[in-house]
Amino acid sequence: MSDIKVKDLADTIRVSPEKLVEQLNEAGISVSKADELITEEQKQTLLQFLQQRHGVADGKDASPRKITLKRKSVSEIKLGGGSSRSGGKSVSVEVRKKRTYVKRTPDEAAATELLNQQQAQQHAEELAKQEQLRQQEVARKQQEEVDRQKEAEAESAAVAAAIEAEKQASEEARLAAEEEQKALAEEAKSQTAKKANTEKTEPKLSASQLAHKKLEEADAKRRAANLARVEAEKALEAKRKAREEEEALEKAREEARQATVDAQAKEQKTDRKDTDTRHGKDKPARKGRHDRDDDFERKELHVREGKAGRRKKKKAAAPQKTPVLETEHGFSKPTAPVVKEVSVPETISVGDLAQRLSVKSGELIKSLMGLGTMATINQVLDQDTAVIVVEEMGHIAKPVQENQVELALEVSEEQVGEAVVRAPVVTVMGHVDHGKTSLLDYIRRTKVTSGEAGGITQHIGAYKVETSRGEVAFLDTPGHAAFTEMRSRGAKVTDIVVLVVAADDGVMPQTIEAIQHAKAAQSTLIVAINKMDKPEANPDRVKQELSNHEVIPEDWGGDVQFVPVSALTGEGVDDLLEAISLQAEVMELKAPVKGPAIGTVVEARLDKGRGTVITALVQRGTLNKGDIVVVGQEFGRVRALFNESGQQLDTAGPSTPVEILGLSGTPAAGDELQVAPDDRTAREIATFRQTKAREAKIARQQAAKLDEMFNKMEEGDVKTLNLVIKGDVHGSVEAVSQGLQKLSTEQVKVRVVGSGVGGINETDAQLAAASEAILIGFNVRADNAARKVISEKGLDVQYFSIIYDLLDVVTKAMTGMLEPVYKDEIIGLARVDDVFRSPKFGDIAGCLVLEGVVKRSNPIRVLRDNVVIFEGELESLRRFKDDVNEVNAGTECGIGVRNYKDVKPGDQIEVFERVLMKPTL
């Protein structure tokens, strides 16, 4: 039935029933209560209505076109009036912001792009017009300057002429004054010349009068020249002041025009930046305390010269014109949401991603918490998480692969020659002590097991054997359960898996694991039933048990070859080699010999005299002495090549296991070996891989911190055994670490605080001392400096060569860390028949011992209706009037319970003792 109640649908989609009823009514579905039923068609109608409301049409993108962001910030303001000690009163101020962003369609984006291009073209035309006007203005100013200079020269010439005229007038006045003085002197000398002129003629002026008249005329001329000079200087000063005022006004106009041009340029720059952002040309945002939540360009606030410069120009004689105030602010808020195209690498920190999104780190962390991810600003996010959070914040994520540097290792088709037949790679697997290494030993006529501790192979061995049917590359893997990872690596590089099963032992746990690894690697399986020389050998039992794991023999109608062999006598070994050769011919194994070599690291170790030594299996191409190789996170030049017999080689072709010297460090078993074109490329690739591995490790550690914290809270007081493990080869160290960590229980956890390849050095000892760990050396020993630290710190050091002993010792150490366990064992039970009053001992219970024995020194429990009501110890134990230490079954006695006075007839007194039990994991 498709009908459903409104409240049930509200619970399913996690909204309130009232809101769902409101949405149904808005969609045209008449619903009044939450208990009403709605049909499937009505649900579809509601879905279409909600999609249309959010801007989603049929067949289009289902992502919302609108998103509303709400932000709330609370601050506190302290008011005056309070004492300094109390801090005064405080008022909480809450600011709420709400912004809605609309996602544009591709048509709208194209229209916006066209509009931006038109605006850019208009802006270019305006700039060209402004440049033309500016050039015209410059020419006009130059012409005005020339005219001004000519006018100033004319004014200066007029002033100079007035000054010269004044000088001439002064000189004439001086000469006139001298003539007047001479005339007066001459008149004083002529005392006798007083003749009366009787003739009636007009009187004539005397010489002194003429001189005085000339003097007056000269003074008048001098005053006129002086006045002309003063007028000329005043006119010149007035023009100079007028020119200064004009220059000030022009400067103010120029500043206003330049401010307008700058504002238009900044606005155009903002538009161009938004356009570039839409096209993915974004730049990382600036760091700092002024980062904004929105995608705005940073503006600078300047103080106009008209305001700040008034203080400096206050002393000017002429008043300056008030500059025009600009009403347009330099900060312009975008009218539409800015959608960025963010390049997301494989790993990126939260801080870097926030810069690329131009948001605060806190906003990004809040979004991550909303998605269920606890993160810090320095935490490294993987690519998938970063893409999700970028899309969640309304931007476009573009995943970027950062392994471009590794493309230099790719081999072109011209470098690869024609594929030729190669030797098969055979991996020998099976349970421990089923004869894998003994079988290989017989094939290659060497005693490999003689060099192994306890006759057990502790790490992978690679050998190339020359048989009558051609060459075969063998990989021998350990059979112990702790080396599951090592066997897994062996299965990944192999063509044929030879599963060795002891005829007298049958299928064991590691045999089943080997079958699983072979199937996972899709390798052909051949079963070698070993130890056929023993009387108790039963091959039919082996076939029956393997058939339960989908390994069907050929004679039973299956596709798996079963070959009975004996590694001790050599029986069936030729048949096994023939089966391998036949299977290889059927598989048509080929690999190119020409071109750079590609291989896989089988094992890696640190040799004291030769440095890093790796065992690698070349899978294609030819590895030459002197090649520059990249192996995982390490690189180096091949200084020497050795085969399994220790003989030096110059080249190694496909399906050839070799030992390589010359790497910069110890790679992990299973890493890929590739030949690089030059040393610089190899170094760059190795550095890139190390950086990526370090970032991934940090990401895992930070992601596990919160889980580890919660685990510690749940576990409570869980004991932890810290270990520092050093081994001879990388595979052994990894396998031992995993085997020890699997020993962890709910009571005791095993924690490997440090591990590595090589002997125990001083750093390892210091680490063990700081973490209170046990030092474990697997086929390695401590050097002199480490032994000194071990002696001073009193550290516990354990050396092992066989993993069985290592696991047993660690298990005992974990058992010793457990708290002692006590068990209550009931030894006697007595029934209370009556209670007597004693003035000395109080209430005495008259009891009959039903079973066991009642001892005075043991603790007791008082039971009433088979329920424990008191637990304590005896005050007294009497048989008649005598104090006794114990009373056996079937005997009456008097019992006084210490600090308990509520014993009643019918109660039972249970006597027990605490037995210390040996703690177990």
Side-chain angles (χ1 to χ4, degrees):
M1 183 176 181
S2 60
D3 295 348
I4 186 173
K5 291 184 178 181
V6 174
K7 62 180 181 180
D8 295 337
L9 180 59
D11 294 338
T12 303
I13 63 177
R14 297 181 181 179
V15 299
S16 62
E18 293 78 7
K19 184 175 181 180
L20 184 57
V21 169
E22 181 181 355
Q23 291 177 347
L24 286 168
N25 291 325
E26 291 177 355
I29 303 171
S30 178
V31 175
S32 59
K33 295 186 297 182
D35 293 332
E36 295 186 12
L37 296 176
I38 59 174
T39 62
E40 185 67 27
E41 292 78 6
Q42 292 175 337
K43 287 192 290 183
Q44 293 296 329
T45 303
L46 174 62
L47 178 60
Q48 293 177 2
F49 169 74
L50 294 178
Q51 287 179 345
Q52 293 176 358
R53 167 182 286 183
H54 292 285
V56 179
D58 296 337
K60 294 186 179 179
D61 186 11
S63 60
R65 295 196 59 194
K66 287 186 178 181
I67 180 171
T68 302
L69 302 181
K70 297 182 180 180
R71 184 178 179 185
K72 180 176 72 174
S73 61
V74 180
S75 60
E76 190 175 89
I77 300 176
K78 290 188 177 180
L79 302 179
S83 61
S84 59
R85 181 174 300 175
S86 61
K89 297 181 180 180
S90 61
V91 178
S92 296
V93 179
E94 181 176 308
V95 179
R96 297 181 180 179
K97 296 181 180 179
K98 181 177 179 182
R99 293 173 181 166
T100 302
Y101 297 95
V102 181
K103 181 180 179 181
R104 293 178 300 174
T105 61
D107 296 337
E108 294 174 348
T112 303
E113 182 68 21
L114 180 59
L115 180 60
N116 291 335
Q117 292 178 359
Q118 293 176 355
Q119 291 178 352
Q121 185 177 0
Q122 293 176 359
H123 179 68
E125 294 176 355
E126 291 177 358
L127 290 179
K129 291 180 180 178
Q130 292 176 1
E131 181 64 21
Q132 184 178 1
L133 293 176
R134 189 184 65 82
Q135 293 178 359
Q136 293 177 0
E137 185 68 19
V138 169
R140 184 183 63 80
K141 288 182 178 180
Q142 291 178 353
Q143 184 63 33
E144 289 179 355
E145 185 66 23
V146 172
D147 296 340
R148 190 180 297 113
Q149 289 179 358
K150 291 181 178 180
E151 185 179 354
E153 291 176 356
E155 292 174 353
S156 300
V159 172
I163 294 173
E164 186 65 26
E166 184 180 5
K167 287 182 180 180
Q168 292 179 1
S170 299
E171 184 66 22
E172 291 177 359
R174 184 182 62 80
L175 295 175
E178 291 179 355
E179 291 180 357
E180 183 180 6
Q181 291 296 330
K182 290 179 180 181
L184 290 175
E186 290 178 355
E187 287 181 357
K189 291 178 180 180
S190 58
Q191 296 177 358
T192 59
K194 291 183 179 180
K195 294 179 179 182
N197 191 1
T198 58
E199 296 181 51
K200 294 181 181 180
T201 57
E202 292 182 1
K204 295 182 181 179
L205 296 177
S206 62
S208 60
Q209 290 176 347
L210 291 175
H212 181 70
K213 187 177 182 181
K214 290 182 179 180
L215 178 60
E216 289 179 353
E217 292 177 357
D219 287 338
K221 188 182 293 185
R222 180 179 59 81
R223 286 194 296 270
N226 188 13
L227 182 61
R229 179 184 63 78
V230 171
E231 291 295 333
E233 289 179 351
K234 288 183 179 181
L236 181 61
E237 182 66 20
K239 289 183 178 180
R240 185 181 63 80
K241 291 181 179 180
R243 187 162 56 248
E244 288 180 354
E245 292 179 359
E246 183 65 24
E247 289 177 355
L249 292 176
E250 185 65 25
K251 186 176 181 180
R253 296 193 198 99
E254 183 64 25
E255 288 179 354
R257 285 195 299 269
Q258 187 63 32
T260 304
V261 172
D262 292 343
Q264 293 176 355
K266 289 181 179 180
E267 184 178 359
Q268 187 65 22
K269 183 178 180 181
T270 303
D271 296 338
R272 288 199 302 271
K273 182 175 181 181
D274 294 340
T275 304
D276 294 341
T277 303
R278 290 190 293 271
H279 288 279
K281 301 178 181 178
D282 55 333
K283 298 182 179 179
R286 298 178 180 175
K287 291 183 178 180
R289 57 192 293 266
H290 298 290
D291 292 346
R292 296 188 60 86
D293 295 339
D294 304 320
D295 304 324
F296 301 140
E297 182 186 1
R298 186 184 296 273
K299 301 291 185 181
E300 296 182 0
L301 182 62
H302 297 279
V303 180
R304 290 179 53 84
E305 187 178 357
K307 295 181 179 180
R310 285 186 294 182
R311 298 177 182 175
K312 296 181 181 179
K313 299 183 179 180
K314 192 172 182 180
K315 296 180 180 180
Q320 296 193 12
K321 186 177 179 180
T322 304
V324 180
L325 295 178
E326 298 179 15
T327 59
E328 183 179 359
H329 199 281
F331 178 83
S332 58
K333 181 179 179 181
T335 57
V338 178
V339 180
K340 292 180 174 293
E341 290 186 359
V342 182
S343 299
V344 181
E346 294 179 354
T347 56
I348 186 172
S349 65
V350 174
D352 293 341
L353 185 58
Q355 287 185 6
R356 298 192 180 191
L357 292 173
S358 298
V359 299
K360 287 185 178 180
S361 301
E363 295 295 327
L364 185 59
I365 293 174
K366 187 185 297 184
S367 299
L368 287 169
M369 293 176 64
L371 295 174
T373 301
M374 303 294 292
T376 61
I377 188 172
N378 296 322
Q379 181 167 338
V380 179
L381 304 176
D382 58 273
Q383 192 177 65
D384 295 336
T385 304
V387 168
I388 292 173
V389 72
V390 168
E391 294 177 349
E392 182 71 18
M393 298 187 73
H395 299 280
I396 301 174
K398 299 180 68 176
V400 177
Q401 301 296 331
E402 293 187 350
N403 58 351
Q404 299 294 329
V405 67
E406 296 191 4
L407 297 178
L409 297 180
E410 293 185 355
V411 181
S412 61
E413 297 181 358
E414 293 78 8
Q415 295 176 294
V416 180
E418 184 180 357
V420 297
V421 179
R422 63 173 177 86
V425 179
V426 180
T427 299
V428 181
M429 292 186 175
H431 191 69
V432 62
D433 201 24
H434 274 201
K436 302 181 300 298
T437 308
S438 299
L439 181 61
L440 263 177
D441 185 23
Y442 183 87
I443 294 175
R444 66 191 198 100
R445 302 296 180 183
T446 57
K447 296 293 182 181
V448 177
T449 55
S450 61
E452 300 287 354
I456 302 172
T457 304
Q458 301 293 327
H459 43 75
I460 295 178
Y463 324 101
K464 195 168 187 180
V465 179
E466 189 76 33
T467 66
S468 58
R469 296 168 180 81
E471 293 182 341
V472 179
F474 284 96
L475 295 180
D476 180 22
T477 61
H480 192 272
F483 294 91
T484 301
E485 288 294 326
M486 297 171 64
R487 286 200 307 277
S488 175
R489 295 194 191 101
K492 289 178 181 178
V493 299
T494 190
D495 303 315
I496 301 173
V497 174
V498 174
L499 180 62
V500 178
V501 185
D504 60 340
D505 200 7
V507 176
M508 302 302 288
Q510 279 73 53
T511 308
I512 300 173
E513 291 178 3
I515 295 173
Q516 294 173 352
H517 293 318
K519 290 182 178 180
Q522 298 180 353
S523 301
T524 303
L525 189 64
I526 297 177
V527 178
I529 305 176
N530 195 18
K531 301 185 180 181
M532 290 297 296
D533 56 304
K534 289 190 174 183
E536 60 271 19
N538 187 0
D540 293 334
R541 172 195 170 191
V542 173
K543 293 181 180 181
Q544 179 64 38
E545 292 178 350
L546 288 177
S547 63
N548 296 332
H549 299 281
E550 299 180 0
V551 180
I552 312 299
E554 287 183 339
D555 51 353
W556 287 16
D559 56 352
V560 180
Q561 299 183 63
F562 279 66
V563 182
V565 297
S566 174
L568 186 62
T569 62
E571 176 188 355
V573 174
D574 292 337
D575 297 336
L576 177 62
L577 294 176
E578 185 177 355
I580 294 173
S581 178
L582 178 61
Q583 190 64 47
E585 291 179 2
V586 172
M587 297 173 67
E588 296 182 354
L589 302 174
K590 293 183 179 182
V593 179
K594 182 183 176 182
I598 296 177
T600 303
V601 177
V602 179
E603 193 52 82
R605 68 180 188 275
L606 190 62
D607 191 275
K608 187 175 182 181
R610 300 189 295 174
T612 301
V613 181
I614 68 169
T615 302
L617 179 69
V618 181
Q619 295 174 295
R620 56 180 296 180
T622 301
L623 181 63
N624 303 309
K625 181 179 178 182
D627 285 347
I628 298 173
V629 295
V630 179
V631 186
Q633 303 177 26
E634 308 297 336
F635 72 98
R637 185 182 298 272
V638 179
R639 293 193 287 109
L641 291 174
F642 299 94
N643 60 8
E644 68 277 1
S645 301
Q647 300 175 351
Q648 288 202 23
L649 304 175
D650 293 331
T651 59
S655 302
T656 303
V658 290
E659 283 190 347
I660 302 174
L661 307 181
L663 288 185
S664 58
T666 306
D671 285 346
E672 186 179 18
L673 180 146
Q674 294 174 288
V675 176
D678 50 47
D679 182 74
R680 178 180 178 183
T681 303
R683 186 184 302 273
E684 290 178 355
I685 295 173
T687 304
F688 170 75
R689 292 178 177 177
Q690 291 172 2
T691 303
K692 301 303 292 182
R694 182 163 55 251
E695 291 177 353
K697 181 179 179 181
I698 293 174
R700 290 194 302 268
Q701 290 176 350
Q702 292 179 342
K705 282 182 180 178
L706 188 62
D707 297 337
E708 185 178 354
M709 181 181 67
F710 286 124
N711 292 337
K712 287 182 179 179
M713 293 172 59
E714 295 175 357
E715 292 170 359
D717 296 333
V718 178
K719 303 293 183 180
T720 302
L721 178 62
N722 295 328
L723 301 175
V724 176
I725 302 174
K726 295 300 287 291
D728 55 343
V729 294
H730 186 279
S732 297
V733 173
E734 185 178 357
V736 169
S737 301
Q738 293 178 356
L740 293 176
Q741 289 176 351
K742 290 180 181 179
L743 296 177
S744 299
T745 63
E746 295 181 355
Q747 296 87 11
V748 182
K749 300 292 184 182
V750 177
R751 179 185 173 207
V752 180
V753 297
S755 61
V757 178
I760 300 174
N761 53 32
E762 184 179 2
T763 304
D764 301 326
Q766 295 288 358
L767 176 61
S771 58
E772 298 180 357
I774 299 175
L775 280 167
I776 293 179
F778 192 78
N779 290 330
V780 295
R781 298 293 181 267
D783 57 16
N784 294 330
R787 284 197 293 268
K788 184 178 180 180
V789 176
I790 291 169
S791 177
E792 293 176 354
K793 304 288 185 179
L795 302 178
D796 186 6
V797 185
Q798 302 288 337
Y799 298 119
F800 300 95
S801 297
I802 302 176
I803 196 170
Y804 299 121
D805 301 336
L806 171 60
L807 298 180
D808 293 342
V809 170
V810 174
T811 303
K812 292 179 181 178
M814 295 171 61
T815 304
M817 297 178 65
L818 298 176
E819 298 292 338
V821 179
Y822 292 91
K823 180 181 178 182
D824 293 344
E825 184 176 345
I826 300 174
I827 61 174
L829 182 65
R831 183 184 70 236
V832 179
D833 294 334
D834 201 355
V835 180
F836 303 94
R837 306 292 179 183
S838 172
K840 181 178 181 181
F841 298 103
D843 293 344
I844 300 297
C847 303
L848 175 65
V849 180
L850 300 178
E851 58 185 40
V853 59
V854 176
K855 293 183 178 182
R856 182 175 181 177
S857 58
N858 285 33
I860 60 101
R861 296 188 184 96
V862 179
L863 309 179
R864 183 172 296 167
D865 296 331
N866 295 323
V867 178
V868 178
I869 61 175
F870 178 77
E871 182 174 348
E873 56 185 14
L874 295 179
E875 178 77 23
S876 64
L877 179 63
R878 288 197 171 194
R879 172 75 175 148
F880 296 105
K881 294 183 179 181
D882 301 328
D883 290 333
V884 294
N885 292 326
E886 62 181 37
V887 178
N888 294 323
T891 307
E892 295 182 345
C893 61
I895 296 177
V897 182
R898 180 173 297 176
N899 299 327
Y900 186 71
K901 307 299 182 183
D902 193 25
V903 180
K904 297 181 179 180
D907 293 347
Q908 292 180 338
I909 297 178
E910 179 183 84
V911 184
F912 64 94
E913 62 180 1
R914 290 187 171 90
V915 181
L916 177 63
M917 304 296 293
K918 184 178 180 181
T920 57
L921 294 173

